[in-house]
Amino acid sequence: GLFVVNGEVTALMLSCRGGYSQVATLLLASGARTDMVDSEGLTAMLYAVKVNSAACVRELARAGAELNGAATITLEEESGGRDQQQQQR
C-alpha cells in the first residue's frame, strides 16, 4: 500500500509515534488509513496515545479513527507528552 513501510508500520504510525501531528494531518489529508494494524496489533491511534500526543489523537479522531484497545492508557495533555517536546525543539 501507499503508506506502508517495511510491510508492517505505516508512515501515519511513525508520525504519531513521534508526536508529529502536522505530518499526521498531511498524511490523513492524502488518504492514509487509520485502521491499519502493525505486527503487534497497534494502530496509529494507539501509538499517539502511548506517547501522549494529544494533537495526533485529536487529528486521528477527526479522521474517524477509533480508540480501540487504548482504554487502559491514560492521555493527559499536560503530562509533557511528545507534542510538548516537539514544540520545544
Side-chain angles (χ1 to χ4, degrees):
L2 179 59
F3 297 100
V4 177
V5 178
N6 296 330
E8 56 186 50
V9 178
T10 68
L12 183 60
M13 291 174 191
L14 293 173
S15 65
C16 290
R17 183 174 72 187
Y20 297 105
S21 61
Q22 292 176 331
V23 174
T25 300
L26 290 172
L27 290 168
L28 290 165
S30 298
R33 292 178 50 186
T34 62
D35 61 342
M36 300 296 289
V37 179
D38 70 7
S39 61
E40 296 178 14
L42 298 175
T43 62
M45 179 66 88
L46 292 174
Y47 276 110
V49 170
K50 280 180 77 171
V51 299
N52 290 326
S53 177
C56 282
V57 168
R58 207 170 18 256
E59 291 304 316
L60 290 164
R62 284 184 187 141
E66 295 183 12
L67 200 57
N68 295 341
T72 58
I73 303 172
T74 303
L75 175 69
E76 297 176 359
E77 291 190 45
E78 300 80 30
S79 68
R82 289 279 171 108
D83 294 332
Q84 294 174 356
Q85 293 172 8
Q86 295 300 331
Q87 291 172 1
Q88 293 172 357
R89 290 185 184 175

